[in-house]
Amino acid sequence: MALMGKLAIRHRPLSVNRRQFVLSTLALGGGLMIGLTPYRESMAATSAKPWEGGEGTEFTAYLSIGPDNIVTVRSTTPDIGNGTFTANPMIISEELPLDWSLVRGEYIPPERDLAEGGKYSTSGYLAYFSGRSTEPEKLHELLQLAASTRERLRQAAAEEWSAAVADVTVEEGRLRHADGRTLTYGEVAEKAATVELAEEPAPKPRADWAVLGKQSRNKLQMPMIMNGSTVYGIDLKLPGMVYAALRQSPVQGGRLKSYDFEAVRGLSGVRGVAVVDPDEPRAGLPEGFRAPFGLTASQNGPQAAIAVIADSYWEAQTALDLMPVEWEAGEGARWTSTQTFYDHLSDRLTNPVDPNIVVAEGDAEAEIGDAADVEAEFLTPYMDHFTMEPLNGTALVEADRLEMWLPTQHTQQALFVGADETGLHPEKVLVNQTWVGTGFGRRVYNDDTRMVVAVAKTMPGVPVKVVWSREESMRQGRYRQVMAGRFTAKLDESGMPKAIKSSIAGAGAGHMGIANSPYRLAVPNWLIQTQNVNSNLLTGPWRGPGWNSNCFMLESFINQCAEKAGIDAIEYRKTLLAEFEDPAWIRLLDLVKEKSGWGTDQGRGIAQGVAIGNWGMGGYSSTAPVGFSGTTVATVVTAEVSRRGDIYIPRVDLAVDLGSLINEDAVRQMLEGGVVMTLGAAMHEEINLNNGRVVEGNLDSYRLARQNDPSLPLEIHVHFEGLSNGERFSEAGEPPMGPPPPALAHAVYKLTGQWLNRMPFGRQNLA
Amino acid sequence: MAVTINVNGQSHEVDADPSMPLLWVLRDKIGLTGTKYGCGINQCGACTVHIDGQAVRSCNTPLARAVGQSVVTIEGLSADSSHPVQRAWTELNVAQCGYCQSGQMMAAAALLAQSPNPTDAQIDQAMDNVCRCGTYLRIRSAVHRAAELA
């Protein structure tokens, strides 16, 4: 099929009247250079399709101003609900006042990064959304860009009016002369880009900020969400597009044995069948190219699969469901039940096989011996991401080119996976980032992209949208890493732990949040060992990966030590943290204590639990506590347990220190959502195995938190008074995933005398 | 087989099997993609539309059921996002990824049409749509706010 219409426009050569200027900021000896870059053609833009670029004068890749006065602010970081599209324009507006109705978000695509020598991926990979979307370097670069652009606009307007620059002021979207004349930014943008300033302006001092941390802004895409026009990956429509429904080996790691396409060939709309063979060699990447997350079988390798292609998704899925297909289960079938695997995990905790000794401070083994004062075994199961938008993607494979439209979390990884699957040079691959119906880590590895391309390449020249049904999405997860842990401790005369042994086994078992816990400064003997043990299920990052298990285990264990010692759990932690350099931990504990009414009478049948942790420290040191980094979260969960054993959560208090805020309400939103998600997951979620297959396929068997869930918190109070307000702008999405579950378990212990050491908590009979 | 259905006040002739779920007719035949696929089994509510004013999950509603009825989707809830529910959702900055929110708003609009001042219990009962981003508390507040705005 010939490529036509809109699809092709983007690749026409650049015409002179659509020049795009580039100012490269600061990097070149402090001065700004202005140049012309022949980069991808602009199209009439609409933000419902954030991959489509608007026309305009480009000041840098991050900022363009159009003749229609629309200011385009670009991001390398997919907005998956986290608000990157809104944070970047807010930063720009601190120095360059913007008319918010004329702001458009857009992406810097990975092919541009590749074409421009990787300058947008200087940290080693193009920023993707799984944290650190607001790096200070990016903040300062954007502030400088906005200030420099503002001064150029002023000078251009002054020239236009033959006036003094001093007489030109800026207001939202326009320039005003002292005598009242105005010009829009758009009217002078092209001229402004040619202005050479004698000196680049300094961005205003932080004390003068009027937007960042001072105002909250709704998401730029909110109006589109309100009327349903936002184009998520699954909503994409292209001329000549066909639809595929996909089924991968129900036992992950299995193989396709046989299928009978003839049985469904004649059904309405059916076009064809595609088989994906994982054993067929893939191209790999040319010398010098590297996929940020690598190309590995377990992360984004091809799975044995079959897909039916039809004129609509419904027809494709109907035919797929009717088509006889047989599978070779392979190795995974030996996991006859979840319990078989849990027993195996538990056995490995008892009889470690070549464990990885992460920390061996003092001699915990000798101190504890076989007389531990506190002992607990924890389990956090596999869980599904359940992205509201089921997995999907669209690809158009041609002889010398691959173009993809993806609801991905990592466009750069997608680009290289696409190159590997097609054998095309990475420079021949284009990635269009659509809106995303949440990610939580599921869309980082791009195994979904792999399967999209593997199916689409069977129909070269035709755009193919590949959709995973909900059942397929749930049964072909990259699940939350299952983890089991056995913790033992010896307490000293004052009740504080003098030795702890933490033994962890699980899929990708890590030590994040334990080996770098500041408690280590107060515990002279600590042995931390990990073992990587998995079934055939594939795992991957799940909002706060590793840490969402480790924080639960460590904080629950500390609560158990405190209860054993008969010491208030907040005071206990303050003692443990006394030597730590970062006072935020104690400050946050004091804050949630005060705000939650900790220690006061909560009423009959109501109790409170506490926990604290830090997400992001692992980026600085995974084995030693480092203060003033990442995001610290302290929480008090207030709970009730009914006579029937149902858990109710009237209130959650959360105090955070992520440094400084950019968009307060956006941060509050992420924290609230994280509390709901992590408590719902802790209460209900578990993926089970049956002969290597995933049992749960949909919401009839996989329970999620809902509005009418008894354990949905009735109130969530986020407290920002403990912010350190320094130069740190750390993340908000993952941090709330850690402390709430152990705090809930603590409260339930106080009410029932039972420790909830195993998720999902809802399985434990509390009646 | 060609049938005619009325969606957002407009008549559409669609060539589809009468058993085809309304969800896929709306999305793939008529091109209204604001109504979302989430689970396909009547559970998550992302596909909620109105049929004659009632909130209905379109993933399990056959096309035949919509013939002769008035179907309203998020695209037709109001001409300019001025429905009290849309205003309240915007005011309270409810959406995170936004994917489930058209279904949430359609459920809320149907609830408010029936119970102009719903209690928390009524909201919990009527609004059992899934939001994986966890916006439930804002949704509850936004329903109350929409009731005030109406």
Side-chain angles (χ1 to χ4, degrees):
Chain A
M1 193 196 81
L3 190 62
M4 16 174 223
K6 274 179 139 183
L7 283 174
I9 293 174
R10 192 168 120 190
H11 308 291
R12 285 208 323 247
L14 201 66
S15 59
V16 179
N17 60 357
R18 289 189 181 178
R19 286 176 301 166
Q20 292 174 304
F21 293 93
V22 164
L23 293 171
S24 71
T25 55
L26 298 184
L28 301 166
L32 291 194
M33 300 271 297
I34 294 163
L36 192 66
T37 182
Y39 191 65
R40 83 151 74 169
E41 185 58 283
S42 299
M43 293 190 297
T46 153
S47 301
K49 299 178 177 177
W51 61 91
E52 291 185 348
E55 285 187 37
T57 303
E58 185 169 295
F59 287 80
T60 77
Y62 294 104
L63 180 69
S64 292
I65 301 176
D68 50 6
N69 206 26
I70 286 178
V71 177
T72 299
V73 180
R74 296 189 193 81
S75 166
T76 56
T77 314
D79 192 325
I80 58 173
N82 51 318
T84 53
F85 259 42
T86 311
N88 283 359
M90 279 184 77
I91 296 169
I92 294 290
S93 72
E94 186 64 66
E95 290 288 340
L96 177 66
L98 299 177
D99 176 344
W100 209 246
S101 67
L102 297 173
V103 174
R104 171 187 292 139
E106 234 175 76
Y107 291 113
I108 297 174
E111 61 267 23
R112 178 168 189 170
D113 182 58
L114 206 57
E116 295 182 21
K119 71 186 198 193
Y120 310 110
S121 55
T122 47
S123 59
Y125 44 77
L126 197 66
Y128 59 98
F129 188 72
S130 54
R132 282 164 277 280
S133 54
T134 48
E135 298 150 321
E137 303 75 31
K138 180 69 65 61
L139 174 70
H140 294 304
E141 184 181 352
L142 291 178
L143 288 172
Q144 180 65 55
L145 165 64
S148 294
T149 302
R150 182 195 65 229
E151 290 312 304
R152 280 172 172 72
L153 290 167
R154 286 181 67 211
Q155 188 158 325
E159 285 173 22
E160 197 75 15
W161 289 322
S162 304
V165 176
D167 286 336
V168 182
T169 53
V170 285
E171 50 193 56
E172 294 178 352
R174 65 178 65 231
L175 300 132
R176 180 178 295 277
H177 189 274
D179 68 11
R181 281 178 290 177
T182 62
L183 283 165
T184 67
Y185 292 169
E187 285 168 324
V188 295
E190 197 163 340
K191 188 188 186 81
T194 67
V195 164
E196 285 185 43
L197 295 178
E199 197 183 354
E200 291 305 326
K204 61 177 121 162
R206 169 132 182 212
D208 295 346
W209 282 359
V211 177
L212 304 181
K214 303 281 170 49
Q215 300 179 19
S216 291
R217 288 273 159 83
N218 278 10
K219 290 192 174 68
L220 285 177
Q221 64 268 39
M222 195 64 86
M224 295 180 291
I225 292 171
M226 290 305 105
N227 65 19
S229 61
T230 325
V231 178
Y232 297 85
I234 203 168
D235 301 330
L236 184 81
K237 270 244 175 357
L238 295 172
M241 186 172 80
V242 297
Y243 299 76
L246 178 75
R247 178 152 307 141
Q248 299 164 76
S249 168
V251 177
Q252 290 191 325
R255 291 293 183 271
L256 179 65
K257 195 157 121 193
S258 70
Y259 65 97
D260 182 10
F261 179 58
E262 293 312 313
V264 297
R265 183 190 285 278
L267 292 180
S268 155
V270 171
R271 292 268 195 116
V273 67
V275 169
V276 181
D277 178 3
D279 301 317
E280 166 200 314
R282 262 60 185 180
L285 299 177
E287 185 77 26
F289 292 90
R290 192 181 65 83
F293 274 81
L295 298 171
T296 57
S298 64
Q299 293 190 355
N300 45 43
Q303 302 297 311
I306 189 157
V308 171
I309 301 169
D311 293 336
S312 75
Y313 166 66
W314 175 246
E315 288 164 320
Q317 187 66 49
T318 303
L320 178 64
D321 290 344
L322 289 170
M323 183 166 67
V325 183
E326 284 188 292
W327 302 93
E328 206 80 71
E331 286 285 290
R334 75 186 171 109
W335 302 110
T336 51
S337 69
T338 322
Q339 196 56 47
T340 321
F341 176 66
Y342 290 162
D343 290 346
H344 176 63
L345 265 182
S346 183
D347 178 60
R348 287 285 294 269
L349 289 176
T350 311
N351 306 298
V353 180
D354 194 20
N356 176 30
I357 307 295
V358 182
V359 167
E361 189 133 317
D363 192 346
E365 297 267 28
E367 288 288 339
I368 299 168
D370 48 14
D373 293 319
V374 188
E375 186 169 4
E377 191 167 322
F378 301 98
L379 179 74
T380 61
Y382 295 110
M383 291 178 184
D384 185 35
H385 294 77
F386 201 94
T387 56
M388 277 311 294
E389 178 187 8
L391 299 178
N392 72 90
T394 301
L396 171 62
V397 182
E398 297 181 297
D400 60 350
R401 171 174 183 280
L402 164 65
E403 182 159 10
M404 300 180 281
W405 294 260
L406 304 168
T408 182
Q409 275 182 269
H410 200 327
T411 52
Q412 192 185 27
Q413 178 71 18
L415 184 148
F416 290 112
V417 167
D420 180 50
E421 186 59 29
T422 54
L424 288 166
H425 192 278
E427 287 167 2
K428 303 287 185 190
V429 182
L430 300 167
V431 183
N432 301 286
Q433 170 84 51
T434 67
W435 294 108
V436 188
T438 70
F440 307 127
R442 181 64 188 90
R443 305 179 204 263
V444 170
Y445 287 162
N446 280 274
D447 60 289
D448 45 355
T449 299
R450 161 87 62 190
M451 300 308 290
V452 167
V453 176
V455 172
K457 74 182 182 185
T458 67
M459 291 194 86
V462 179
V464 182
K465 185 201 283 187
V466 185
V467 178
W468 278 235
S469 64
R470 170 56 64 196
E471 289 77 7
E472 185 70 9
S473 296
M474 192 177 280
R475 294 198 168 113
Q476 298 295 339
R478 294 297 180 275
Y479 302 100
R480 184 267 193 96
Q481 294 142 326
V482 66
M483 267 205 251
R486 181 169 298 148
F487 283 57
T488 48
K490 193 83 188 162
L491 306 183
D492 66 19
E493 320 71 60
S494 63
M496 301 308 292
K498 66 174 176 183
I500 296 179
K501 183 178 171 188
S502 311
S503 181
I504 296 160
H511 46 269
M512 167 91 168
I514 300 178
N516 58 9
S517 166
Y519 300 153
R520 281 194 47 214
L521 299 171
V523 181
N525 305 282
W526 203 326
L527 176 66
I528 302 172
Q529 62 181 37
T530 61
Q531 298 173 79
N532 199 358
V533 185
N534 198 8
S535 69
N536 63 307
L537 291 192
L538 299 169
T539 60
W542 191 99
R543 198 172 182 179
W547 186 66
N548 59 42
S549 292
N550 287 344
C551 182
F552 166 63
M553 296 194 276
L554 177 62
E555 285 300 289
S556 278
F557 191 67
I558 293 300
N559 282 332
Q560 294 179 32
C561 290
E563 294 296 336
K564 175 82 180 181
I567 299 171
D568 174 273
I570 288 183
E571 293 310 311
Y572 199 76
R573 283 178 172 77
K574 287 169 71 172
T575 305
L576 286 170
L577 293 165
E579 299 301 316
F580 187 42
E581 60 181 340
D582 186 349
W585 287 58
I586 287 177
R587 187 169 69 235
L588 296 182
L589 286 167
D590 284 335
L591 183 60
V592 277
K593 178 177 176 174
E594 178 208 327
K595 296 289 182 182
S596 67
W598 177 270
T600 62
D601 182 16
Q602 299 296 319
R604 195 177 150 83
I606 301 177
Q608 294 183 314
V610 65
I612 190 170
N614 178 288
W615 168 263
M617 285 169 105
Y620 299 87
S621 168
S622 62
T623 54
V626 177
F628 313 102
S629 67
T631 298
T632 307
V633 175
T635 189
V636 167
V637 172
T638 305
E640 293 180 69
V641 178
S642 75
R643 252 190 241 174
R644 285 183 10 196
D646 289 332
I647 294 173
Y648 292 82
I649 305 176
R651 180 180 172 117
V652 175
D653 287 84
L654 203 72
V656 296
D657 179 21
L658 44 69
S660 296
L661 301 170
I662 286 182
N663 189 357
E664 178 177 322
D665 195 56
V667 171
R668 191 180 290 277
Q669 225 188 9
M670 294 296 283
L671 294 168
E672 290 169 355
V675 168
V676 168
M677 182 173 172
T678 194
L679 288 175
M683 284 299 304
H684 308 305
E685 293 182 39
E686 180 175 39
I687 284 288
N688 284 282
L689 278 160
N690 180 4
N691 296 314
R693 294 178 179 229
V694 167
V695 174
E696 293 78 11
N698 209 323
L699 292 173
D700 49 354
S701 49
Y702 194 77
R703 184 170 168 190
L704 297 180
R706 290 178 189 252
Q707 191 72 264
N708 58 6
D709 184 337
S711 56
L712 182 76
L714 284 177
E715 295 174 15
I716 298 172
H717 297 266
V718 174
H719 307 291
F720 288 128
E721 297 92 321
L723 289 172
S724 49
N725 287 316
E727 291 299 310
R728 188 163 105 245
F729 294 82
S730 196
E731 58 261 42
E734 295 172 287
M737 300 306 285
L744 172 61
H746 188 205
V748 169
Y749 166 77
K750 289 182 179 174
L751 292 166
T752 66
Q754 292 189 53
W755 285 106
L756 298 169
N757 287 342
R758 183 207 187 291
M759 291 181 187
F761 298 160
R763 281 172 50 132
Q764 193 157 325
N765 183 2
L766 297 171
Chain B
M1 191 184 120
V3 297
T4 303
I5 58 168
N6 185 297
V7 182
N8 300 331
Q10 286 193 335
S11 204
H12 295 266
E13 192 173 311
V14 291
D15 184 19
D17 189 309
S19 68
M20 185 170 180
L22 179 61
L23 168 68
W24 298 108
V25 174
L26 292 169
R27 290 178 54 82
D28 290 350
K29 298 281 180 184
I30 300 178
L32 292 170
T33 54
T35 305
K36 301 302 185 197
Y37 167 54
C39 71
I41 60 162
N42 243 2
Q43 287 270 340
C44 79
C47 66
T48 305
V49 299
H50 296 170
I51 297 183
D52 283 351
Q54 301 289 316
V56 166
R57 294 190 170 172
S58 63
C59 73
N60 253 329
T61 303
L63 169 59
R65 155 95 167 76
V67 175
Q69 316 280 309
S70 160
V71 179
V72 176
T73 69
I74 186 68
E75 291 92 343
L77 185 60
S78 68
D80 50 1
S81 295
S82 61
H83 188 285
V85 163
Q86 289 163 311
R87 284 156 58 204
W89 249 246
T90 302
E91 205 178 285
L92 272 72
N93 200 20
V94 171
Q96 289 191 29
C97 86
Y99 191 83
C100 75
Q101 299 295 348
S102 38
Q104 302 278 7
M105 287 187 284
M106 295 308 283
L111 168 65
L112 289 168
Q114 211 162 43
S115 314
N117 283 296
T119 61
D120 278 349
Q122 284 174 306
I123 293 171
D124 292 354
Q125 192 61 37
M127 302 283 301
D128 68 339
N129 299 26
V130 168
C131 172
R132 186 52 150 166
C133 299
T135 64
Y136 297 117
L137 304 196
R138 287 190 189 219
I139 286 173
R140 189 184 289 155
S141 305
V143 175
H144 287 305
R145 179 66 183 138
E148 287 171 16
L149 291 171

